[in-house]
């Protein structure tokens, strides 16, 4: 069975969507081909890199991409998941052939304030929230869990 493509979208493609794609790949990558993109891509957030490195996942060499470039590529995504606020999610394009569009709003690590350690702790919480959603998604959609 071919892998189903999943696109995670956030504003900057620097933290939330990157973490979601990496966690899906780690959790049930044998069933899904995750990608991530942003409305206004920036650079990878070092807090997201560190939070995932704590789990043994390295995204330090990832690059960001514009969601509209992905949309123009004509790829078909059975799942498109926005991980930003409602207002930001409204700016996302509609992908042809999408069968399921999900919205999982998470706090934006790029907006966290405080010391580095305080911002890292909040990023870890977002990572763990994303991981819980990914676990639930995999429980619901992975073939292995239905065998």
């Amino acid at each position: 069975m071919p892998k189903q493509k999943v696109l995670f979208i956030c504003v900057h493609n620097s933290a939330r969507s990157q973490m979601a794609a990496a966690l899906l790949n780690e959790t049930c990558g044998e069933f899904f081909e995750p990608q991530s993109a942003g409305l206004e891509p920036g650079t990878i957030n070092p807090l997201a890199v560190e939070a995932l490195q704590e789990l043994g996942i390295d995204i330090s060499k990832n690059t960001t991409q514009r969601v509209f470039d992905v949309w123009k590529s004509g790829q078909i995504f059975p799942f498109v998941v926005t991980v930003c606020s409602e207002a930001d999610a409204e700016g996302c394009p509609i992908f042809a052939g999408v069968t399921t569009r999900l919205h999982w709003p998470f706090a934006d690590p790029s907006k966290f304030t405080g010391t580095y350690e305080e911002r890292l702790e909040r990023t870890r919480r977002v990572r763990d929230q994303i991981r819980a959603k990914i676990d639930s998604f995999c429980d619901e959609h992975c073939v292995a869990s239905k065998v």
Side-chain angles (χ1 to χ4, degrees):
M1 184 171 183
K3 293 182 181 186
Q4 293 188 70
K5 290 185 177 193
V6 179
L7 179 63
F8 293 98
I9 302 171
C10 68
V11 178
H12 302 292
N13 189 217
S14 64
R16 296 167 291 181
S17 57
Q18 292 278 347
M19 289 192 290
L23 289 164
L24 179 60
N25 192 52
E26 180 76 14
T27 304
C28 53
E30 65 271 25
F31 301 106
F32 296 102
E33 181 184 324
Q35 293 185 46
S36 67
L39 298 173
E40 303 163 6
T43 58
I44 301 296
N45 186 320
L47 296 167
V49 171
E50 187 168 342
L52 285 179
Q53 281 178 334
E54 293 172 354
L55 301 179
I57 301 170
D58 184 8
I59 63 166
S60 63
K61 300 208 178 2
N62 286 16
T63 57
T64 61
Q65 63 179 340
R66 283 174 22 112
V67 69
F68 289 102
D69 292 337
V70 175
W71 179 76
K72 288 189 296 188
S73 75
Q75 295 180 71
I76 303 297
F77 292 91
F79 298 96
V80 172
V81 184
T82 52
V83 292
C84 47
S85 70
E86 284 296 334
D88 292 329
E90 290 174 10
C92 295
I94 302 299
F95 283 77
V98 170
T99 56
T100 304
R101 185 173 173 144
L102 303 170
H103 180 63
W104 302 343
F106 299 106
D108 184 353
S110 74
K111 295 182 179 176
F112 294 163
T113 59
T115 66
Y116 185 83
E117 190 56 42
E118 290 167 339
R119 292 181 293 131
L120 178 58
E121 183 53 39
R122 291 188 66 198
T123 302
R124 287 178 182 128
R125 282 193 293 249
V126 171
R127 174 203 63 200
D128 294 344
Q129 292 166 354
I130 293 171
R131 188 181 208 181
K133 284 298 249 184
I134 293 294
D135 288 346
S136 177
F137 178 84
C138 289
D139 286 347
E140 184 178 343
H141 296 286
C142 287
V143 174
S145 67
K146 298 180 181 186
V147 176

